[in-house]
Amino acid sequence: MNQERGNWGSNIGFLMAAIGSAVGLGNIWGFPYKMGRSGGFTFLVVYLLLAIFVGFVIMMGELAMGRKTGKGTIGAYHTLSKNFKWVGWLAVFAPFVIMSFYSVLGGYCIEYLALNLSNLAFAGAEVMTGSDLFGAMLTNQFGCLMFTMLFMVICYLINRGGVSGGIEKFNKVGMPALFVCLLIIIARALTMEGAVEGLKFMFVPGYAVKAGFIEQAPGFLTVLATAGGQMFFSLSLAMGAMITYGSYLSKEENLVKNSGIIVVADTIVATMAGLAVIPAAVANGIQNGIPFAEIKLSGPSLLFVTLQDVFAAMGAVGPLFGVIFYLLVLIAAISSAISLIEVVSTYFMDRAAEKGKEGNRPRIVLLVCLAIMVEAAIVAWDGLGSNDMWVPFQNSLGVVGAFNDCWLDFMDFWSEGLAMPLGALLMSIMVGWEIKPKTLLDELHVGGSSKIDAFFSFSMKFVVPVIMALILVGQLNDFLALGLF
Ligand code: PFF
């Protein structure tokens, strides 16, 4: 059946690709900061519980849906369900929209990589501060557009190579390389004077407030919703990515074990990313007399302002660490982006196959990338709101800057804020109550995992829907600044 669709060359190749999808910008700029401000170690425990009872369960469910049906997201929902057929569309819409800004951020990474490379080549040249640099980059609209396009060209070249010839090949080299870069940066970061303050911010419960990084610790429901939203985005769930990747996996492989490995690897890399960025950012802040409350520890500013300042302050070796760091972020961004592109491309490939034709992969991938480029052009031109472009519904809820402050926020709301949690909620209801867990358990038993039945069924039926509903409300609360809790 899968003969013409293509397959992963090996289980390890599949794992590298799935981990590559999971490990992305979300790990580097989301996890460490959210952990720090939400109670350090306490957050980690909540995150791990959610990862086991919700993330791991959905991961198994998605991989099983893909492999059982041998189809991409839309085809899988169509084959399995009567009432939830349309959910597949949600899970193709979300990755398409996410790519509108993921590609722009990927473009920024290339620009910073190039910049550090040139600083390395022309040692002694004056280095701009992170914020001056970032500001200049965002308002150079044409430049942003070009770098976004370059990022998309790289992704296109990988995706057109196919599942094993492109995606797997890239990740088999990219993931180990990312890991090595991460270790180098961690070693440098942890030996900086004052780094221990960053470690305390990340791990010691209550330290973020006590030391003055933030004013007030969030309440438990907020922590739960934050950890849930983060876990979800980080594991690439409800975006069709794991359904799609699962559909290319051989029938012999053990999905339970594979799901466990992906969840554990993603969490380890997120924690490691924290060790690489937070201590360095905090140490540099201390050395320059910046109050803790003013150090930017999350989002684009962390990557493109705070850390660039860290590298600039390191003297002659700074650009070298800058090159290593932005290279690792770029690899993380590419490996996630190609999984998002593959979700959309696989749909068209499958559609061609249904009509009895052989899908022309290079052409399909090209069209998908071009369509993404159109929406990405708007986000790139907007420059995170720096260029005063009109944004739909801007401040429409009366909260200045809370919703749709810029085009990236607008796109992020519909995808990460709405489509992702809603899709996962509906998926769990479909599996738990319509088609019943048994349908997927057969698939999960392949390879010898049979002790999973009670856990999978119970979680899918009761735990996942409740937590997903909470995460959905949490995301809306957050994105729309509703102030519910
Ligand atoms: N997991 C990626 C990250 O942490 O940045 C983002 C992502 C990639 C989400 C692919 C969803 C997806 F399908």
Side-chain angles (χ1 to χ4, degrees):
M1 167 194 59
N2 280 339
Q3 225 50 24
E4 316 94 58
R5 275 183 103 242
N7 259 324
W8 301 108
S10 63
N11 194 49
I12 189 80
F14 157 75
L15 277 174
M16 288 295 135
I19 293 171
S21 169
V23 172
L25 296 172
N27 295 57
I28 299 163
W29 78 29
F31 183 83
Y33 177 72
K34 287 177 189 167
M35 178 162 150
R37 62 161 286 140
S38 309
F41 195 69
T42 325
F43 176 90
L44 191 59
V45 174
V46 174
Y47 184 93
L48 287 177
L49 286 174
L50 287 172
I52 295 166
F53 286 98
V54 182
F56 177 48
V57 174
I58 302 185
M59 179 75 71
M60 288 191 285
E62 290 202 359
L63 289 177
M65 280 174 69
R67 192 173 67 176
K68 187 177 178 69
T69 57
K71 293 194 177 129
T73 314
I74 291 179
Y77 275 96
H78 260 258
T79 311
L80 290 170
S81 170
K82 264 206 188 87
N83 304 315
F84 293 87
K85 278 187 168 50
W86 56 279
V87 178
W89 285 100
L90 217 55
V92 167
F93 164 81
F96 178 72
V97 176
I98 289 245
M99 273 308 289
S100 71
F101 59 87
Y102 219 84
S103 56
V104 176
L105 299 170
Y108 295 166
C109 292
I110 302 181
E111 208 164 337
Y112 270 64
L113 177 60
L115 187 104
N116 278 279
L117 267 174
S118 86
N119 285 342
L120 193 63
F122 304 104
E126 207 189 322
V127 180
M128 283 164 89
T129 66
S131 48
D132 283 348
L133 205 60
F134 197 40
M137 182 181 81
L138 293 177
T139 45
N140 176 1
Q141 292 162 296
F142 189 71
C144 287
L145 203 60
M146 287 300 119
F147 279 103
T148 303
M149 209 184 279
L150 184 56
F151 181 81
M152 286 308 298
V153 169
I154 297 172
C155 293
Y156 163 73
L157 292 174
I158 298 171
N159 280 76
R160 69 166 277 165
V163 176
S164 69
I167 298 175
E168 182 171 347
K169 241 187 192 164
F170 174 80
N171 281 294
K172 269 171 108 171
V173 178
M175 284 303 107
L178 178 143
F179 199 75
V180 172
C181 292
L182 206 48
L183 287 178
I184 298 173
I185 299 291
I186 291 175
R188 178 68 194 96
L190 293 185
T191 47
M192 284 173 76
E193 203 184 318
V196 70
E197 288 299 306
L199 289 178
K200 285 194 207 157
F201 166 80
M202 270 182 75
F203 294 103
V204 178
Y207 194 73
V209 179
K210 210 169 97 193
F213 284 99
I214 54 167
E215 260 175 40
Q216 211 188 350
F220 183 69
L221 268 186
T222 311
V223 172
L224 202 62
T226 310
Q230 172 65 28
M231 178 273 298
F232 215 63
F233 184 75
S234 186
L235 289 175
S236 301
L237 298 173
M239 299 266 253
M242 294 301 163
I243 299 182
T244 306
Y245 276 11
S247 75
Y248 293 114
L249 189 60
S250 131
K251 285 281 181 197
E252 279 108 59
E253 304 303 341
N254 184 329
L255 296 183
V256 178
K257 203 161 99 194
N258 278 342
S259 304
I261 294 173
I262 301 167
V263 174
V264 171
D266 182 64
T267 311
I268 291 177
V269 174
T271 314
M272 286 175 68
L275 296 180
V277 297
I278 302 284
V282 172
N284 193 56
I286 294 174
Q287 285 162 26
N288 290 299
I290 304 172
F292 284 162
E294 284 169 29
I295 305 176
K296 294 191 177 84
L297 293 174
S298 76
S301 322
L302 167 73
L303 286 189
F304 303 115
V305 178
T306 315
L307 283 161
Q308 180 57 36
D309 281 341
V310 173
F311 300 126
M314 275 181 188
V317 291
L320 179 63
F321 284 105
V323 168
I324 298 173
F325 179 74
Y326 290 107
L327 180 67
L328 96 82
V329 184
L330 179 61
I331 295 173
I334 293 175
S335 60
S336 294
I338 53 182
S339 74
L340 293 164
I341 294 170
E342 188 57 27
V343 173
V344 188
S345 308
T346 294
Y347 162 63
F348 289 106
M349 295 285 292
D350 286 353
R351 217 173 69 158
E354 259 164 36
K355 288 185 190 152
K357 293 188 211 142
E358 202 185 322
N360 180 336
R361 177 175 268 275
R363 206 171 69 204
I364 287 175
V365 174
L366 179 66
L367 291 176
V368 170
C369 288
L370 283 175
I372 290 172
M373 198 52 228
V374 172
E375 49 168 7
I378 303 172
V379 178
W381 206 253
D382 184 38
L384 301 181
S386 303
N387 301 312
D388 292 327
M389 265 172 76
W390 168 83
V391 185
F393 309 118
Q394 194 166 27
N395 302 330
S396 57
L397 294 164
V399 188
V400 177
F403 176 48
N404 290 342
D405 199 16
C406 59
W407 271 95
L408 187 151
D409 282 357
F410 178 71
M411 297 299 204
D412 198 18
F413 169 71
W414 294 104
S415 47
E416 198 192 342
L418 198 61
M420 266 180 107
L422 184 63
L425 173 64
L426 294 170
M427 179 259 197
S428 64
I429 297 173
M430 175 192 94
V431 177
W433 300 94
E434 192 203 18
I435 65 169
K436 303 281 177 329
K438 164 109 192 33
T439 315
L440 298 184
L441 278 170
D442 294 343
E443 197 64 34
L444 292 174
H445 288 162
V446 177
S449 295
S450 55
K451 292 196 204 94
I452 195 86
D453 295 24
F455 169 72
F456 183 77
S457 306
F458 182 80
S459 286
M460 197 57 108
K461 271 183 140 117
F462 303 106
V463 184
V464 179
V466 172
I467 298 287
M468 279 328 302
L470 176 75
I471 294 173
L472 177 61
V473 176
Q475 293 287 64
L476 295 181
N477 185 44
D478 209 24
F479 273 90
L480 303 178
L482 300 178
L484 296 178
F485 46 80

